[in-house]
Amino acid sequence: MKAWRVHANGEPREVMRLEEVPDPQPGPGQLLLRVRAANVNFPDALLCRGQYQVRPPLPFTPGVEICGEVLAAGEGAAGETGARVLAQPPLPDGGFAELAVVDAAAVRPAPEALDDAEAAALHIGYQTGWFGLHRRARLQAGETLLVHAAAGGVGSAAVQLGKAAGARVIGVVGGEDKARTARELGCDLVLDRRHDDIVGAVKEATGGRGADVVYDPVGGEAYAKSVKCIAFEGRIIVVGFAGGAIPTPALNHALVKNYAILGLHWGLYNTKDPAAVDACHEELAKLAAQGAVKPLIGGRFPLRDAAEAVQRVADGTSTGRLVVLPAAEETR
């Protein structure tokens, strides 16, 4: 089969190579999947750079989230041949390939309401958003939610989930194209970090109160502005640091303004509380069936262009989710 492999750390387009490798075989408890769609996540870029918290041995295949079709089952593994499923291929053999082997216990049915690309983009980003907004921040209907990078893959999921929860959503983006996308996603107010006064605008929009919940996958300056416009008993969800700078919170500021700083490492729930992950998937499938959430696909790429797709995510130039379709013949 064809698979992208990383032999040395560096920028994705420089270190990812499309190679012919032996077809994988499912072991006990595993399923063999034909990859129908592989979603590009920011961790894929960090993996290429050697900057992710997990560092698989070289060479490895990136791609942490796929929609696939069950081809075969290993000993003791339950799986219906032909079923369309969502899975996370365990590294070092990720999903930017024609075939992937996954743990049967971690496979979940793909929502019928979504096509392959949309389904591939549903799991990690939307699970992260759901756990962040509901489990960690306890977002309530009528509250104000501030989402940074609102037109990106992670931010767009939070916007949709916030609207589904009945919150008023303020989206922060960079540039008019992304502002247009954020409005289409349903943001009640869109702010452009390049020229808008984020702090002043949030306070004005909330009558001086500030945002009840902040969803921050960016860090750096985004976090610094968030603490200046957080409401009394507000909650800031730290999701990641796509901006490249990790903030150093002033805890005395959190004390005097009475807000909470909440970390969110969604991957831990897979080992600490897998039942909660299953329950979340059922809830997301219901929301997808209702049309309340629908992953924003900013680009669909054939397998040969996967490195370019990962590089775009690494550079922060993408809108929504970029998805690799191994059976596609041209970029759309």
Side-chain angles (χ1 to χ4, degrees), residues 279-331:
C280 179
H281 179 73
E282 293 181 6
E283 179 64 22
L284 292 174
K286 290 178 184 177
L287 290 173
Q290 296 165 3
V293 301
K294 185 180 181 68
L296 172 65
I297 306 301
R300 301 167 189 250
F301 297 78
L303 185 61
R304 67 173 180 271
D305 291 337
E308 179 61 28
V310 178
Q311 189 65 54
R312 290 191 193 182
V313 172
D315 294 340
T317 60
S318 59
T319 298
R321 287 292 187 183
L322 304 187
V323 182
V324 175
L325 304 172
E329 296 183 356
E330 60 183 36
T331 303

mmCIF file of all heavy atoms in Angstrom, residues 279-331:
data_model
loop_
_atom_site.group_PDB
_atom_site.id
_atom_site.type_symbol
_atom_site.label_atom_id
_atom_site.label_comp_id
_atom_site.label_asym_id
_atom_site.label_seq_id
_atom_site.Cartn_x
_atom_site.Cartn_y
_atom_site.Cartn_z
ATOM 1 N N ALA A 279 -20.143 8.055 25.676
ATOM 2 C CA ALA A 279 -21.362 8.837 25.861
ATOM 3 C C ALA A 279 -21.305 10.126 25.050
ATOM 4 O O ALA A 279 -22.317 10.555 24.460
ATOM 5 C CB ALA A 279 -21.579 9.149 27.342
ATOM 6 N N CYS A 280 -20.132 10.737 25.003
ATOM 7 C CA CYS A 280 -19.957 11.962 24.225
ATOM 8 C C CYS A 280 -20.165 11.679 22.742
ATOM 9 O O CYS A 280 -20.797 12.464 22.031
ATOM 10 C CB CYS A 280 -18.577 12.557 24.474
ATOM 11 S SG CYS A 280 -18.240 14.060 23.523
ATOM 12 N N HIS A 281 -19.634 10.557 22.261
ATOM 13 C CA HIS A 281 -19.812 10.215 20.843
ATOM 14 C C HIS A 281 -21.288 10.066 20.502
ATOM 15 O O HIS A 281 -21.738 10.531 19.442
ATOM 16 C CB HIS A 281 -19.074 8.919 20.504
ATOM 17 C CG HIS A 281 -19.233 8.501 19.073
ATOM 18 N ND1 HIS A 281 -18.610 9.159 18.044
ATOM 19 C CD2 HIS A 281 -19.978 7.515 18.507
ATOM 20 C CE1 HIS A 281 -18.955 8.593 16.894
ATOM 21 N NE2 HIS A 281 -19.780 7.598 17.154
ATOM 22 N N GLU A 282 -22.055 9.444 21.383
ATOM 23 C CA GLU A 282 -23.490 9.295 21.148
ATOM 24 C C GLU A 282 -24.176 10.657 21.087
ATOM 25 O O GLU A 282 -25.052 10.893 20.245
ATOM 26 C CB GLU A 282 -24.108 8.433 22.252
ATOM 27 C CG GLU A 282 -23.649 6.975 22.226
ATOM 28 C CD GLU A 282 -24.293 6.148 23.324
ATOM 29 O OE1 GLU A 282 -25.177 6.693 24.036
ATOM 30 O OE2 GLU A 282 -23.924 4.971 23.471
ATOM 31 N N GLU A 283 -23.760 11.557 21.960
ATOM 32 C CA GLU A 283 -24.344 12.898 21.956
ATOM 33 C C GLU A 283 -23.976 13.647 20.671
ATOM 34 O O GLU A 283 -24.827 14.318 20.070
ATOM 35 C CB GLU A 283 -23.858 13.681 23.176
ATOM 36 C CG GLU A 283 -24.385 15.101 23.274
ATOM 37 C CD GLU A 283 -25.891 15.172 23.449
ATOM 38 O OE1 GLU A 283 -26.492 14.184 23.909
ATOM 39 O OE2 GLU A 283 -26.470 16.226 23.126
ATOM 40 N N LEU A 284 -22.728 13.526 20.240
ATOM 41 C CA LEU A 284 -22.302 14.195 19.010
ATOM 42 C C LEU A 284 -23.029 13.635 17.796
ATOM 43 O O LEU A 284 -23.390 14.381 16.875
ATOM 44 C CB LEU A 284 -20.788 14.054 18.828
ATOM 45 C CG LEU A 284 -19.919 14.803 19.838
ATOM 46 C CD1 LEU A 284 -18.450 14.461 19.628
ATOM 47 C CD2 LEU A 284 -20.135 16.312 19.728
ATOM 48 N N ALA A 285 -23.245 12.317 17.782
ATOM 49 C CA ALA A 285 -23.979 11.700 16.675
ATOM 50 C C ALA A 285 -25.414 12.239 16.618
ATOM 51 O O ALA A 285 -25.951 12.481 15.530
ATOM 52 C CB ALA A 285 -23.973 10.186 16.822
ATOM 53 N N LYS A 286 -26.029 12.428 17.782
ATOM 54 C CA LYS A 286 -27.382 12.987 17.828
ATOM 55 C C LYS A 286 -27.384 14.422 17.296
ATOM 56 O O LYS A 286 -28.269 14.808 16.513
ATOM 57 C CB LYS A 286 -27.911 12.970 19.265
ATOM 58 C CG LYS A 286 -28.219 11.587 19.808
ATOM 59 C CD LYS A 286 -28.695 11.682 21.253
ATOM 60 C CE LYS A 286 -28.917 10.299 21.845
ATOM 61 N NZ LYS A 286 -29.315 10.372 23.282
ATOM 62 N N LEU A 287 -26.397 15.213 17.705
ATOM 63 C CA LEU A 287 -26.317 16.601 17.251
ATOM 64 C C LEU A 287 -26.081 16.668 15.746
ATOM 65 O O LEU A 287 -26.630 17.535 15.062
ATOM 66 C CB LEU A 287 -25.197 17.334 17.998
ATOM 67 C CG LEU A 287 -25.446 17.604 19.486
ATOM 68 C CD1 LEU A 287 -24.185 18.169 20.140
ATOM 69 C CD2 LEU A 287 -26.607 18.563 19.666
ATOM 70 N N ALA A 288 -25.274 15.726 15.234
ATOM 71 C CA ALA A 288 -25.031 15.684 13.791
ATOM 72 C C ALA A 288 -26.311 15.321 13.046
ATOM 73 O O ALA A 288 -26.632 15.905 12.002
ATOM 74 C CB ALA A 288 -23.928 14.680 13.472
ATOM 75 N N ALA A 289 -27.071 14.365 13.579
ATOM 76 C CA ALA A 289 -28.328 13.958 12.950
ATOM 77 C C ALA A 289 -29.338 15.099 12.941
ATOM 78 O O ALA A 289 -30.146 15.229 12.003
ATOM 79 C CB ALA A 289 -28.906 12.748 13.677
ATOM 80 N N GLN A 290 -29.282 15.947 13.961
ATOM 81 C CA GLN A 290 -30.185 17.094 14.058
ATOM 82 C C GLN A 290 -29.724 18.269 13.212
ATOM 83 O O GLN A 290 -30.463 19.244 13.038
ATOM 84 C CB GLN A 290 -30.301 17.544 15.520
ATOM 85 C CG GLN A 290 -30.922 16.509 16.442
ATOM 86 C CD GLN A 290 -30.688 16.832 17.919
ATOM 87 O OE1 GLN A 290 -30.099 17.868 18.258
ATOM 88 N NE2 GLN A 290 -31.156 15.961 18.792
ATOM 89 N N GLY A 291 -28.490 18.194 12.705
ATOM 90 C CA GLY A 291 -27.925 19.297 11.936
ATOM 91 C C GLY A 291 -27.349 20.401 12.797
ATOM 92 O O GLY A 291 -26.978 21.462 12.297
ATOM 93 N N ALA A 292 -27.245 20.166 14.110
ATOM 94 C CA ALA A 292 -26.719 21.178 15.028
ATOM 95 C C ALA A 292 -25.210 21.312 14.911
ATOM 96 O O ALA A 292 -24.652 22.385 15.172
ATOM 97 C CB ALA A 292 -27.105 20.832 16.468
ATOM 98 N N VAL A 293 -24.532 20.219 14.541
ATOM 99 C CA VAL A 293 -23.096 20.293 14.286
ATOM 100 C C VAL A 293 -22.797 19.643 12.935
ATOM 101 O O VAL A 293 -23.428 18.648 12.569
ATOM 102 C CB VAL A 293 -22.250 19.604 15.395
ATOM 103 C CG1 VAL A 293 -22.518 20.230 16.753
ATOM 104 C CG2 VAL A 293 -22.493 18.107 15.431
ATOM 105 N N LYS A 294 -21.875 20.221 12.223
ATOM 106 C CA LYS A 294 -21.452 19.705 10.923
ATOM 107 C C LYS A 294 -20.041 20.221 10.683
ATOM 108 O O LYS A 294 -19.846 21.425 10.480
ATOM 109 C CB LYS A 294 -22.386 20.179 9.817
ATOM 110 C CG LYS A 294 -22.094 19.577 8.431
ATOM 111 C CD LYS A 294 -23.091 20.125 7.417
ATOM 112 C CE LYS A 294 -22.880 19.559 6.027
ATOM 113 N NZ LYS A 294 -23.210 18.119 5.951
ATOM 114 N N PRO A 295 -19.044 19.348 10.759
ATOM 115 C CA PRO A 295 -17.658 19.805 10.609
ATOM 116 C C PRO A 295 -17.451 20.648 9.360
ATOM 117 O O PRO A 295 -17.924 20.294 8.265
ATOM 118 C CB PRO A 295 -16.875 18.495 10.544
ATOM 119 C CG PRO A 295 -17.689 17.551 11.364
ATOM 120 C CD PRO A 295 -19.113 17.909 11.064
ATOM 121 N N LEU A 296 -16.776 21.764 9.540
ATOM 122 C CA LEU A 296 -16.455 22.667 8.444
ATOM 123 C C LEU A 296 -15.228 22.133 7.710
ATOM 124 O O LEU A 296 -14.134 22.080 8.277
ATOM 125 C CB LEU A 296 -16.171 24.068 9.002
ATOM 126 C CG LEU A 296 -15.626 25.097 8.025
ATOM 127 C CD1 LEU A 296 -16.659 25.410 6.947
ATOM 128 C CD2 LEU A 296 -15.232 26.380 8.777
ATOM 129 N N ILE A 297 -15.411 21.713 6.478
ATOM 130 C CA ILE A 297 -14.307 21.159 5.692
ATOM 131 C C ILE A 297 -13.739 22.252 4.788
ATOM 132 O O ILE A 297 -14.407 22.715 3.854
ATOM 133 C CB ILE A 297 -14.765 19.948 4.848
ATOM 134 C CG1 ILE A 297 -15.440 18.909 5.744
ATOM 135 C CG2 ILE A 297 -13.576 19.350 4.107
ATOM 136 C CD1 ILE A 297 -14.572 18.378 6.862
ATOM 137 N N GLY A 298 -12.521 22.659 5.071
ATOM 138 C CA GLY A 298 -11.890 23.728 4.313
ATOM 139 C C GLY A 298 -11.123 23.244 3.102
ATOM 140 O O GLY A 298 -10.683 24.057 2.272
ATOM 141 N N GLY A 299 -10.935 21.931 2.972
ATOM 142 C CA GLY A 299 -10.217 21.394 1.821
ATOM 143 C C GLY A 299 -10.190 19.888 1.857
ATOM 144 O O GLY A 299 -10.064 19.287 2.936
ATOM 145 N N ARG A 300 -10.337 19.272 0.687
ATOM 146 C CA ARG A 300 -10.266 17.819 0.540
ATOM 147 C C ARG A 300 -9.111 17.518 -0.402
ATOM 148 O O ARG A 300 -9.064 18.050 -1.511
ATOM 149 C CB ARG A 300 -11.593 17.272 -0.006
ATOM 150 C CG ARG A 300 -12.791 17.590 0.894
ATOM 151 C CD ARG A 300 -14.108 17.315 0.169
ATOM 152 N NE ARG A 300 -15.248 17.807 0.949
ATOM 153 C CZ ARG A 300 -16.145 17.029 1.554
ATOM 154 N NH1 ARG A 300 -16.035 15.701 1.449
ATOM 155 N NH2 ARG A 300 -17.139 17.547 2.236
ATOM 156 N N PHE A 301 -8.188 16.658 0.038
ATOM 157 C CA PHE A 301 -6.944 16.426 -0.688
ATOM 158 C C PHE A 301 -6.771 14.946 -1.024
ATOM 159 O O PHE A 301 -7.084 14.083 -0.203
ATOM 160 C CB PHE A 301 -5.746 16.869 0.165
ATOM 161 C CG PHE A 301 -5.719 18.339 0.478
ATOM 162 C CD1 PHE A 301 -6.530 18.868 1.469
ATOM 163 C CD2 PHE A 301 -4.878 19.187 -0.220
ATOM 164 C CE1 PHE A 301 -6.517 20.226 1.754
ATOM 165 C CE2 PHE A 301 -4.843 20.550 0.067
ATOM 166 C CZ PHE A 301 -5.667 21.067 1.053
ATOM 167 N N PRO A 302 -6.248 14.651 -2.209
ATOM 168 C CA PRO A 302 -5.887 13.259 -2.506
ATOM 169 C C PRO A 302 -4.683 12.868 -1.659
ATOM 170 O O PRO A 302 -3.982 13.732 -1.107
ATOM 171 C CB PRO A 302 -5.548 13.288 -3.992
ATOM 172 C CG PRO A 302 -5.097 14.688 -4.239
ATOM 173 C CD PRO A 302 -5.929 15.551 -3.331
ATOM 174 N N LEU A 303 -4.423 11.593 -1.565
ATOM 175 C CA LEU A 303 -3.336 11.111 -0.713
ATOM 176 C C LEU A 303 -2.006 11.754 -1.083
ATOM 177 O O LEU A 303 -1.200 12.078 -0.206
ATOM 178 C CB LEU A 303 -3.229 9.579 -0.808
ATOM 179 C CG LEU A 303 -2.220 8.911 0.122
ATOM 180 C CD1 LEU A 303 -2.569 9.174 1.584
ATOM 181 C CD2 LEU A 303 -2.159 7.410 -0.150
ATOM 182 N N ARG A 304 -1.761 11.969 -2.374
ATOM 183 C CA ARG A 304 -0.463 12.500 -2.799
ATOM 184 C C ARG A 304 -0.199 13.916 -2.269
ATOM 185 O O ARG A 304 0.945 14.378 -2.258
ATOM 186 C CB ARG A 304 -0.364 12.488 -4.323
ATOM 187 C CG ARG A 304 -1.306 13.431 -5.036
ATOM 188 C CD ARG A 304 -1.011 13.489 -6.541
ATOM 189 N NE ARG A 304 -1.917 14.405 -7.224
ATOM 190 C CZ ARG A 304 -3.092 14.059 -7.724
ATOM 191 N NH1 ARG A 304 -3.486 12.796 -7.645
ATOM 192 N NH2 ARG A 304 -3.860 14.965 -8.324
ATOM 193 N N ASP A 305 -1.262 14.628 -1.851
ATOM 194 C CA ASP A 305 -1.101 16.005 -1.375
ATOM 195 C C ASP A 305 -1.199 16.123 0.144
ATOM 196 O O ASP A 305 -1.363 17.219 0.679
ATOM 197 C CB ASP A 305 -2.159 16.905 -2.018
ATOM 198 C CG ASP A 305 -1.933 17.098 -3.512
ATOM 199 O OD1 ASP A 305 -0.784 16.923 -3.963
ATOM 200 O OD2 ASP A 305 -2.906 17.413 -4.224
ATOM 201 N N ALA A 306 -1.085 15.007 0.853
ATOM 202 C CA ALA A 306 -1.238 15.037 2.311
ATOM 203 C C ALA A 306 -0.198 15.922 2.980
ATOM 204 O O ALA A 306 -0.501 16.643 3.938
ATOM 205 C CB ALA A 306 -1.168 13.621 2.872
ATOM 206 N N ALA A 307 1.038 15.884 2.514
ATOM 207 C CA ALA A 307 2.094 16.692 3.142
ATOM 208 C C ALA A 307 1.769 18.176 3.029
ATOM 209 O O ALA A 307 2.011 18.952 3.968
ATOM 210 C CB ALA A 307 3.445 16.383 2.501
ATOM 211 N N GLU A 308 1.234 18.581 1.896
ATOM 212 C CA GLU A 308 0.854 19.985 1.714
ATOM 213 C C GLU A 308 -0.269 20.360 2.664
ATOM 214 O O GLU A 308 -0.280 21.456 3.236
ATOM 215 C CB GLU A 308 0.427 20.231 0.266
ATOM 216 C CG GLU A 308 -0.004 21.655 -0.025
ATOM 217 C CD GLU A 308 1.101 22.682 0.214
ATOM 218 O OE1 GLU A 308 2.294 22.317 0.078
ATOM 219 O OE2 GLU A 308 0.771 23.832 0.552
ATOM 220 N N ALA A 309 -1.230 19.454 2.856
ATOM 221 C CA ALA A 309 -2.330 19.727 3.773
ATOM 222 C C ALA A 309 -1.829 19.892 5.204
ATOM 223 O O ALA A 309 -2.239 20.808 5.920
ATOM 224 C CB ALA A 309 -3.360 18.603 3.694
ATOM 225 N N VAL A 310 -0.925 19.021 5.622
ATOM 226 C CA VAL A 310 -0.366 19.124 6.977
ATOM 227 C C VAL A 310 0.427 20.422 7.123
ATOM 228 O O VAL A 310 0.368 21.082 8.167
ATOM 229 C CB VAL A 310 0.522 17.911 7.303
ATOM 230 C CG1 VAL A 310 1.133 18.057 8.696
ATOM 231 C CG2 VAL A 310 -0.303 16.624 7.244
ATOM 232 N N GLN A 311 1.147 20.814 6.085
ATOM 233 C CA GLN A 311 1.925 22.048 6.157
ATOM 234 C C GLN A 311 1.015 23.266 6.300
ATOM 235 O O GLN A 311 1.325 24.209 7.041
ATOM 236 C CB GLN A 311 2.795 22.196 4.907
ATOM 237 C CG GLN A 311 3.792 23.350 4.994
ATOM 238 C CD GLN A 311 4.832 23.131 6.077
ATOM 239 O OE1 GLN A 311 5.500 22.103 6.093
ATOM 240 N NE2 GLN A 311 4.969 24.085 6.993
ATOM 241 N N ARG A 312 -0.112 23.267 5.603
ATOM 242 C CA ARG A 312 -1.047 24.391 5.721
ATOM 243 C C ARG A 312 -1.567 24.521 7.147
ATOM 244 O O ARG A 312 -1.693 25.634 7.673
ATOM 245 C CB ARG A 312 -2.216 24.205 4.751
ATOM 246 C CG ARG A 312 -1.844 24.371 3.284
ATOM 247 C CD ARG A 312 -3.100 24.437 2.419
ATOM 248 N NE ARG A 312 -2.804 24.287 1.010
ATOM 249 C CZ ARG A 312 -3.705 24.344 0.044
ATOM 250 N NH1 ARG A 312 -4.985 24.555 0.355
ATOM 251 N NH2 ARG A 312 -3.361 24.196 -1.225
ATOM 252 N N VAL A 313 -1.874 23.393 7.765
ATOM 253 C CA VAL A 313 -2.321 23.427 9.158
ATOM 254 C C VAL A 313 -1.184 23.913 10.064
ATOM 255 O O VAL A 313 -1.394 24.711 10.977
ATOM 256 C CB VAL A 313 -2.826 22.039 9.592
ATOM 257 C CG1 VAL A 313 -3.104 22.005 11.094
ATOM 258 C CG2 VAL A 313 -4.094 21.678 8.819
ATOM 259 N N ALA A 314 0.021 23.464 9.788
ATOM 260 C CA ALA A 314 1.183 23.889 10.572
ATOM 261 C C ALA A 314 1.400 25.391 10.467
ATOM 262 O O ALA A 314 1.759 26.055 11.453
ATOM 263 C CB ALA A 314 2.431 23.144 10.105
ATOM 264 N N ASP A 315 1.156 25.936 9.278
ATOM 265 C CA ASP A 315 1.376 27.363 9.046
ATOM 266 C C ASP A 315 0.221 28.232 9.516
ATOM 267 O O ASP A 315 0.321 29.467 9.497
ATOM 268 C CB ASP A 315 1.618 27.614 7.550
ATOM 269 C CG ASP A 315 2.907 26.994 7.043
ATOM 270 O OD1 ASP A 315 3.786 26.698 7.868
ATOM 271 O OD2 ASP A 315 3.028 26.797 5.817
ATOM 272 N N GLY A 316 -0.892 27.618 9.891
ATOM 273 C CA GLY A 316 -2.049 28.376 10.350
ATOM 274 C C GLY A 316 -2.801 29.078 9.240
ATOM 275 O O GLY A 316 -3.511 30.054 9.481
ATOM 276 N N THR A 317 -2.675 28.588 7.997
ATOM 277 C CA THR A 317 -3.347 29.231 6.870
ATOM 278 C C THR A 317 -4.646 28.547 6.478
ATOM 279 O O THR A 317 -5.314 28.988 5.538
ATOM 280 C CB THR A 317 -2.413 29.266 5.640
ATOM 281 O OG1 THR A 317 -2.059 27.924 5.278
ATOM 282 C CG2 THR A 317 -1.143 30.053 5.957
ATOM 283 N N SER A 318 -5.004 27.480 7.166
ATOM 284 C CA SER A 318 -6.202 26.724 6.802
ATOM 285 C C SER A 318 -7.443 27.290 7.486
ATOM 286 O O SER A 318 -7.361 27.945 8.531
ATOM 287 C CB SER A 318 -6.035 25.253 7.172
ATOM 288 O OG SER A 318 -5.806 25.111 8.562
ATOM 289 N N THR A 319 -8.585 27.036 6.870
ATOM 290 C CA THR A 319 -9.884 27.362 7.458
ATOM 291 C C THR A 319 -10.644 26.060 7.645
ATOM 292 O O THR A 319 -10.697 25.232 6.733
ATOM 293 C CB THR A 319 -10.685 28.297 6.538
ATOM 294 O OG1 THR A 319 -9.968 29.531 6.393
ATOM 295 C CG2 THR A 319 -12.057 28.595 7.117
ATOM 296 N N GLY A 320 -11.234 25.869 8.817
ATOM 297 C CA GLY A 320 -11.934 24.621 9.087
ATOM 298 C C GLY A 320 -10.969 23.448 9.086
ATOM 299 O O GLY A 320 -9.786 23.584 9.419
ATOM 300 N N ARG A 321 -11.470 22.289 8.690
ATOM 301 C CA ARG A 321 -10.663 21.075 8.681
ATOM 302 C C ARG A 321 -10.194 20.726 7.272
ATOM 303 O O ARG A 321 -10.960 20.831 6.307
ATOM 304 C CB ARG A 321 -11.487 19.901 9.212
ATOM 305 C CG ARG A 321 -11.723 19.952 10.714
ATOM 306 C CD ARG A 321 -10.447 19.751 11.471
ATOM 307 N NE ARG A 321 -10.689 19.631 12.896
ATOM 308 C CZ ARG A 321 -9.719 19.508 13.801
ATOM 309 N NH1 ARG A 321 -8.457 19.481 13.432
ATOM 310 N NH2 ARG A 321 -10.007 19.403 15.087
ATOM 311 N N LEU A 322 -8.952 20.311 7.156
ATOM 312 C CA LEU A 322 -8.422 19.770 5.917
ATOM 313 C C LEU A 322 -8.429 18.255 6.052
ATOM 314 O O LEU A 322 -8.035 17.716 7.090
ATOM 315 C CB LEU A 322 -7.009 20.277 5.647
ATOM 316 C CG LEU A 322 -6.838 21.801 5.604
ATOM 317 C CD1 LEU A 322 -5.420 22.160 5.162
ATOM 318 C CD2 LEU A 322 -7.869 22.455 4.700
ATOM 319 N N VAL A 323 -8.890 17.576 5.007
ATOM 320 C CA VAL A 323 -9.068 16.131 5.074
ATOM 321 C C VAL A 323 -8.422 15.467 3.866
ATOM 322 O O VAL A 323 -8.550 15.949 2.736
ATOM 323 C CB VAL A 323 -10.567 15.764 5.135
ATOM 324 C CG1 VAL A 323 -10.745 14.255 5.251
ATOM 325 C CG2 VAL A 323 -11.239 16.454 6.325
ATOM 326 N N VAL A 324 -7.714 14.375 4.122
ATOM 327 C CA VAL A 324 -7.071 13.588 3.068
ATOM 328 C C VAL A 324 -7.989 12.435 2.693
ATOM 329 O O VAL A 324 -8.456 11.689 3.558
ATOM 330 C CB VAL A 324 -5.708 13.050 3.552
ATOM 331 C CG1 VAL A 324 -5.086 12.134 2.491
ATOM 332 C CG2 VAL A 324 -4.772 14.206 3.875
ATOM 333 N N LEU A 325 -8.264 12.302 1.387
ATOM 334 C CA LEU A 325 -9.133 11.244 0.861
ATOM 335 C C LEU A 325 -8.282 10.339 -0.026
ATOM 336 O O LEU A 325 -8.024 10.676 -1.183
ATOM 337 C CB LEU A 325 -10.287 11.845 0.066
ATOM 338 C CG LEU A 325 -11.165 12.875 0.816
ATOM 339 C CD1 LEU A 325 -12.133 13.531 -0.138
ATOM 340 C CD2 LEU A 325 -11.905 12.195 1.963
ATOM 341 N N PRO A 326 -7.826 9.203 0.479
ATOM 342 C CA PRO A 326 -6.922 8.336 -0.295
ATOM 343 C C PRO A 326 -7.452 7.911 -1.655
ATOM 344 O O PRO A 326 -6.667 7.678 -2.576
ATOM 345 C CB PRO A 326 -6.725 7.142 0.630
ATOM 346 C CG PRO A 326 -6.904 7.694 1.999
ATOM 347 C CD PRO A 326 -7.995 8.701 1.849
ATOM 348 N N ALA A 327 -8.768 7.824 -1.813
ATOM 349 C CA ALA A 327 -9.305 7.376 -3.099
ATOM 350 C C ALA A 327 -9.533 8.538 -4.065
ATOM 351 O O ALA A 327 -9.847 8.294 -5.239
ATOM 352 C CB ALA A 327 -10.628 6.634 -2.883
ATOM 353 N N ALA A 328 -9.356 9.783 -3.608
ATOM 354 C CA ALA A 328 -9.584 10.939 -4.473
ATOM 355 C C ALA A 328 -8.456 11.072 -5.473
ATOM 356 O O ALA A 328 -7.300 10.708 -5.209
ATOM 357 C CB ALA A 328 -9.718 12.198 -3.634
ATOM 358 N N GLU A 329 -8.753 11.668 -6.625
ATOM 359 C CA GLU A 329 -7.743 11.824 -7.672
ATOM 360 C C GLU A 329 -7.274 13.246 -7.822
ATOM 361 O O GLU A 329 -6.224 13.494 -8.412
ATOM 362 C CB GLU A 329 -8.304 11.329 -9.023
ATOM 363 C CG GLU A 329 -8.619 9.833 -9.026
ATOM 364 C CD GLU A 329 -9.103 9.349 -10.370
ATOM 365 O OE1 GLU A 329 -9.260 10.194 -11.275
ATOM 366 O OE2 GLU A 329 -9.317 8.136 -10.519
ATOM 367 N N GLU A 330 -8.019 14.204 -7.302
ATOM 368 C CA GLU A 330 -7.587 15.592 -7.434
ATOM 369 C C GLU A 330 -8.087 16.395 -6.253
ATOM 370 O O GLU A 330 -9.067 16.056 -5.597
ATOM 371 C CB GLU A 330 -8.097 16.197 -8.743
ATOM 372 C CG GLU A 330 -9.609 16.202 -8.865
ATOM 373 C CD GLU A 330 -10.068 16.742 -10.192
ATOM 374 O OE1 GLU A 330 -9.383 16.495 -11.207
ATOM 375 O OE2 GLU A 330 -11.101 17.414 -10.225
ATOM 376 N N THR A 331 -7.371 17.500 -5.959
ATOM 377 C CA THR A 331 -7.743 18.368 -4.846
ATOM 378 C C THR A 331 -9.031 19.112 -5.160
ATOM 379 O O THR A 331 -9.223 19.580 -6.265
ATOM 380 C CB THR A 331 -6.609 19.376 -4.571
ATOM 381 O OG1 THR A 331 -5.406 18.667 -4.316
ATOM 382 C CG2 THR A 331 -6.954 20.241 -3.370
#
